[in-house]
Amino acid sequence: GAPEGVLVQNVALSRTADQSSSHPDGPARNAVDGNRDPNFNVYTVTAVMITNRNEFENRLDGAEIWIGNSLEDNGAKKSRCAIISHIPKGRTFYFPCNSTEGRYVTVFLPGTEKILSLCDVQVFPLDYADGTYI
């Protein structure tokens, strides 16, 4: 396996993304660019990486990353991994998640009349089967 601390596989790739509302030009699936895998697993998420768009740079400011096993209550039954203060346009930031278990990762922007906009989401788990990153 890979040495501890090395990100090897993005488990968000080809997963389904969901959002509370959308614009015709910005469906949630664009965040992960994949199809829904019906065989969801629970992962121990060690890190999430978010890439910001070149346009609308400030639309991620204040967004929160949540991890959990349920989509109920807009993530109220989840653990917060991080709060995104700011990601410069086109840049990718790494957010460690303290080995949080879950099968859903939610990027949530609190407040009213706000638009969340991002380029990509990557999720990195720890595989407990052999204690290494997958």
Side-chain angles (χ1 to χ4, degrees), residues 12 15-19 27-36 105:
R15 301 286 188 205
T16 296
D18 193 16
Q19 58 194 40
R29 69 178 175 272
N30 289 352
V32 292
D33 295 329
N35 297 318
R36 185 180 175 103
V105 173

Side-chain angles (χ1 to χ4, degrees), residues 16-44:
T16 296
D18 193 16
Q19 58 194 40
S20 60
S21 61
S22 65
H23 184 275
D25 295 333
R29 69 178 175 272
N30 289 352
V32 292
D33 295 329
N35 297 318
R36 185 180 175 103
D37 180 348
N39 299 313
F40 282 111
N41 293 311
V42 174
Y43 294 97
T44 300

Side-chain angles (χ1 to χ4, degrees), residues 16-98:
T16 296
D18 193 16
Q19 58 194 40
S20 60
S21 61
S22 65
H23 184 275
D25 295 333
R29 69 178 175 272
N30 289 352
V32 292
D33 295 329
N35 297 318
R36 185 180 175 103
D37 180 348
N39 299 313
F40 282 111
N41 293 311
V42 174
Y43 294 97
T44 300
V45 177
T46 57
V48 173
M49 287 176 45
I50 306 281
T51 302
N52 200 357
R53 296 179 57 187
N54 282 327
E55 305 85 19
F56 312 114
E57 177 179 5
N58 299 323
R59 287 189 176 173
L60 270 173
D61 293 0
E64 302 175 354
I65 302 170
W66 291 80
I67 299 169
N69 290 317
S70 172
L71 292 175
E72 294 178 33
D73 301 326
N74 292 324
K77 296 182 179 182
K78 300 179 185 205
S79 296
R80 187 170 63 195
C81 164
I83 298 174
I84 301 169
S85 58
H86 181 74
I87 300 176
K89 63 182 178 179
R91 297 284 308 276
T92 301
F93 275 33
Y94 167 94
F95 299 93
C97 294
N98 298 320

Side-chain angles (χ1 to χ4, degrees), residues 101-114:
E101 285 193 2
R103 54 188 279 205
Y104 298 102
V105 173
T106 302
V107 180
F108 172 72
L109 183 61
T112 59
E113 298 184 24
K114 292 185 176 184

